[in-house]
Amino acid sequence: MALDDISHDQVIGAHFAQKGMPVGGAWVQAADAKTFEVFNPATGTAWTEVPDAGRADTAAAIQAASDAQRDWAALAFTERAKLLNRVAEVVEKRRGDIIAALTAECG
């Protein structure tokens, strides 16, 4: 396959497939290793494969979020504001990737 034959959807999809699900500050795959394909509704083509989270994955994510919330609540308002501003900076920097992923997912 030539580089020109690789669609933008495939490039963005490969990125997501490698990452997995964010849980507790790490990118993880489903505990049972199951995945499912995500299709671009405009083209009908699969553009990525993502972890198929089950009950154990959901429980781990809920526990991680609960643990993180305690740490977040303990931060001073100014520290939370700094972190949220940093998130905004990263979103702005990655705007093109985010737009591409949303477009591929939503058609």
Side-chain angles (χ1 to χ4, degrees):
M1 174 184 296
L3 185 58
D4 292 340
D5 295 334
I6 299 173
S7 74
H8 192 266
D9 285 1
Q10 289 171 311
V11 171
I12 296 297
H15 171 78
F16 281 94
Q18 291 173 357
K19 288 287 189 177
M21 307 176 286
V23 177
W27 291 95
V28 300
Q29 298 300 317
D32 61 8
K34 288 184 181 178
T35 61
F36 65 92
E37 292 181 317
V38 178
F39 291 87
N40 179 327
T43 64
T45 59
W47 68 277
T48 193
E49 192 171 304
V50 296
D52 189 3
R55 288 178 186 256
D57 301 303
T58 303
I62 291 169
Q63 185 61 55
S66 179
D67 294 345
Q69 198 286 324
R70 284 190 290 274
D71 294 339
W72 180 255
L75 288 175
F77 168 78
T78 54
E79 291 303 310
R80 292 194 304 263
K82 285 179 190 176
L83 288 169
L84 289 173
N85 282 325
R86 178 67 182 127
V87 169
E89 290 171 8
V90 171
V91 167
E92 181 61 30
K93 181 180 175 185
R94 305 274 319 270
R95 179 173 67 172
D97 291 338
I98 294 167
I99 290 169
L102 290 173
T103 301
E105 182 178 16
C106 299

